[in-house]
Amino acid sequence: MNAIQPIIVCDQWLKLNARIQALTLRWAEVESSLARDYNWLSLSETAQENLGPAHELRDIDARLDELFKQREELSAVVLKLSATTYDAIYAKLSVLAALVDPEDHPAAHNLVISTVNELRALNASHRRRRA
């Protein structure tokens, strides 16, 4: 494994996670629209399935299932990677920051973000001393 591999894999993970977040937001928008326009939440499952605009929800659900599986597989790869450079460490910590939901765990999320910032400052300080 070369030193850049963790950066590439973590970047792939972050891009995949961003697609999941975007689709999740779209799913919420569609569901809100269906609830507002068709009283979606009070419809039977059969009525929901027969509602034309609901097809987008099913398409999003199917795509999200695929993306969640891909992210889980990629997460296993990230976990096995060895970070041997500051940039690789930043990349792995960026994945960790994305995994720690700031709404559910604000202290943990802020701890990860502050650790990344401190590590960057430390790295910059070391580089200035060497120059």
Side-chain angles (χ1 to χ4, degrees):
M1 176 182 69
N2 63 33
I4 199 160
Q5 185 180 12
I7 298 166
I8 293 168
V9 173
C10 289
D11 185 58
Q12 291 170 339
W13 190 98
L14 291 167
K15 287 177 181 175
L16 183 60
N17 193 60
R19 286 197 304 268
I20 289 171
Q21 289 177 329
L23 275 176
T24 302
L25 287 174
R26 179 62 189 149
W27 191 93
E29 291 169 356
V30 172
E31 185 183 49
S32 292
S33 174
L34 290 169
R36 182 185 61 246
D37 298 341
Y38 300 97
N39 204 13
W40 173 256
L41 299 175
S42 66
L43 296 176
S44 69
E45 191 173 318
T46 302
Q48 287 179 347
E49 288 175 8
N50 292 327
L51 192 60
H55 290 285
E56 186 177 359
L57 278 185
R58 287 188 291 282
D59 293 344
I60 292 171
D61 277 339
R63 184 66 181 134
L64 280 172
D65 286 344
E66 293 172 20
L67 294 175
F68 284 137
K69 183 179 177 187
Q70 290 175 16
R71 184 176 66 182
E72 191 66 30
E73 291 169 357
L74 204 50
S75 292
V77 174
V78 170
L79 187 59
K80 292 177 184 176
L81 292 172
S82 179
T84 59
T85 67
Y86 279 107
D87 289 336
I89 294 169
Y90 303 146
K92 288 183 78 173
L93 285 172
S94 296
V95 169
L96 177 58
L99 285 168
V100 179
D101 189 324
E103 290 182 18
D104 292 337
H105 306 284
H109 182 79
N110 290 336
L111 177 62
V112 174
I113 297 300
S114 69
T115 301
V116 170
N117 292 336
E118 291 162 359
L119 186 60
R120 282 192 172 126
L122 183 63
N123 184 30
S125 174
H126 285 198
R127 286 182 180 170
R128 281 193 299 271
R129 280 191 234 152
R130 287 187 214 158

mmCIF file of all heavy atoms in Angstrom, residues 1-10 84-85 88:
data_model
loop_
_atom_site.group_PDB
_atom_site.id
_atom_site.type_symbol
_atom_site.label_atom_id
_atom_site.label_comp_id
_atom_site.label_asym_id
_atom_site.label_seq_id
_atom_site.Cartn_x
_atom_site.Cartn_y
_atom_site.Cartn_z
ATOM 1 N N MET A 1 0.841 -1.184 0.000
ATOM 2 C CA MET A 1 0.000 0.000 0.000
ATOM 3 C C MET A 1 0.885 1.246 0.000
ATOM 4 O O MET A 1 1.843 1.330 0.748
ATOM 5 C CB MET A 1 -0.891 -0.002 1.242
ATOM 6 C CG MET A 1 -1.726 1.256 1.346
ATOM 7 S SD MET A 1 -2.751 1.361 2.816
ATOM 8 C CE MET A 1 -1.536 1.566 4.074
ATOM 9 N N ASN A 2 0.522 2.206 -0.829
ATOM 10 C CA ASN A 2 1.295 3.444 -0.838
ATOM 11 C C ASN A 2 0.654 4.477 0.083
ATOM 12 O O ASN A 2 -0.468 4.311 0.556
ATOM 13 C CB ASN A 2 1.469 3.974 -2.264
ATOM 14 C CG ASN A 2 0.147 4.337 -2.915
ATOM 15 O OD1 ASN A 2 -0.775 4.782 -2.250
ATOM 16 N ND2 ASN A 2 0.048 4.150 -4.213
ATOM 17 N N ALA A 3 1.364 5.550 0.333
ATOM 18 C CA ALA A 3 0.928 6.558 1.300
ATOM 19 C C ALA A 3 -0.328 7.309 0.852
ATOM 20 O O ALA A 3 -1.052 7.845 1.683
ATOM 21 C CB ALA A 3 2.064 7.548 1.550
ATOM 22 N N ILE A 4 -0.590 7.342 -0.441
ATOM 23 C CA ILE A 4 -1.742 8.094 -0.938
ATOM 24 C C ILE A 4 -3.036 7.270 -0.941
ATOM 25 O O ILE A 4 -4.127 7.824 -0.977
ATOM 26 C CB ILE A 4 -1.458 8.685 -2.331
ATOM 27 C CG1 ILE A 4 -2.427 9.803 -2.633
ATOM 28 C CG2 ILE A 4 -1.506 7.626 -3.399
ATOM 29 C CD1 ILE A 4 -1.975 10.743 -3.711
ATOM 30 N N GLN A 5 -2.928 5.957 -0.857
ATOM 31 C CA GLN A 5 -4.119 5.111 -0.920
ATOM 32 C C GLN A 5 -5.169 5.470 0.133
ATOM 33 O O GLN A 5 -6.354 5.562 -0.196
ATOM 34 C CB GLN A 5 -3.752 3.636 -0.823
ATOM 35 C CG GLN A 5 -4.958 2.735 -1.012
ATOM 36 C CD GLN A 5 -4.612 1.263 -0.926
ATOM 37 O OE1 GLN A 5 -3.523 0.900 -0.507
ATOM 38 N NE2 GLN A 5 -5.537 0.428 -1.310
ATOM 39 N N PRO A 6 -4.803 5.704 1.403
ATOM 40 C CA PRO A 6 -5.834 6.081 2.373
ATOM 41 C C PRO A 6 -6.570 7.369 1.981
ATOM 42 O O PRO A 6 -7.777 7.493 2.199
ATOM 43 C CB PRO A 6 -5.064 6.274 3.678
ATOM 44 C CG PRO A 6 -3.824 5.469 3.504
ATOM 45 C CD PRO A 6 -3.505 5.535 2.042
ATOM 46 N N ILE A 7 -5.861 8.299 1.392
ATOM 47 C CA ILE A 7 -6.473 9.563 0.978
ATOM 48 C C ILE A 7 -7.490 9.309 -0.126
ATOM 49 O O ILE A 7 -8.610 9.836 -0.094
ATOM 50 C CB ILE A 7 -5.378 10.561 0.517
ATOM 51 C CG1 ILE A 7 -4.434 10.864 1.680
ATOM 52 C CG2 ILE A 7 -6.009 11.831 -0.052
ATOM 53 C CD1 ILE A 7 -3.159 11.554 1.285
ATOM 54 N N ILE A 8 -7.138 8.486 -1.083
ATOM 55 C CA ILE A 8 -8.040 8.172 -2.198
ATOM 56 C C ILE A 8 -9.282 7.436 -1.703
ATOM 57 O O ILE A 8 -10.413 7.791 -2.052
ATOM 58 C CB ILE A 8 -7.302 7.357 -3.272
ATOM 59 C CG1 ILE A 8 -6.225 8.211 -3.938
ATOM 60 C CG2 ILE A 8 -8.281 6.799 -4.306
ATOM 61 C CD1 ILE A 8 -5.258 7.430 -4.811
ATOM 62 N N VAL A 9 -9.085 6.432 -0.863
ATOM 63 C CA VAL A 9 -10.218 5.640 -0.364
ATOM 64 C C VAL A 9 -11.125 6.504 0.513
ATOM 65 O O VAL A 9 -12.354 6.438 0.399
ATOM 66 C CB VAL A 9 -9.720 4.392 0.399
ATOM 67 C CG1 VAL A 9 -10.874 3.662 1.069
ATOM 68 C CG2 VAL A 9 -8.983 3.459 -0.553
ATOM 69 N N CYS A 10 -10.544 7.314 1.369
ATOM 70 C CA CYS A 10 -11.356 8.191 2.225
ATOM 71 C C CYS A 10 -12.110 9.218 1.391
ATOM 72 O O CYS A 10 -13.273 9.529 1.687
ATOM 73 C CB CYS A 10 -10.482 8.879 3.269
ATOM 74 S SG CYS A 10 -9.876 7.747 4.550
ATOM 75 N N THR A 84 -0.048 6.843 7.148
ATOM 76 C CA THR A 84 1.377 7.063 7.437
ATOM 77 C C THR A 84 1.826 8.492 7.155
ATOM 78 O O THR A 84 3.002 8.798 7.275
ATOM 79 C CB THR A 84 2.240 6.078 6.621
ATOM 80 O OG1 THR A 84 1.985 6.286 5.229
ATOM 81 C CG2 THR A 84 1.938 4.638 7.004
ATOM 82 N N THR A 85 0.884 9.343 6.767
ATOM 83 C CA THR A 85 1.190 10.757 6.526
ATOM 84 C C THR A 85 0.121 11.607 7.224
ATOM 85 O O THR A 85 -0.967 11.117 7.547
ATOM 86 C CB THR A 85 1.178 11.101 5.026
ATOM 87 O OG1 THR A 85 -0.168 10.966 4.536
ATOM 88 C CG2 THR A 85 2.122 10.215 4.233
ATOM 89 N N ALA A 88 -3.058 11.606 5.201
ATOM 90 C CA ALA A 88 -3.844 10.379 5.353
ATOM 91 C C ALA A 88 -4.590 10.378 6.685
ATOM 92 O O ALA A 88 -5.739 9.936 6.766
ATOM 93 C CB ALA A 88 -2.938 9.162 5.233
#
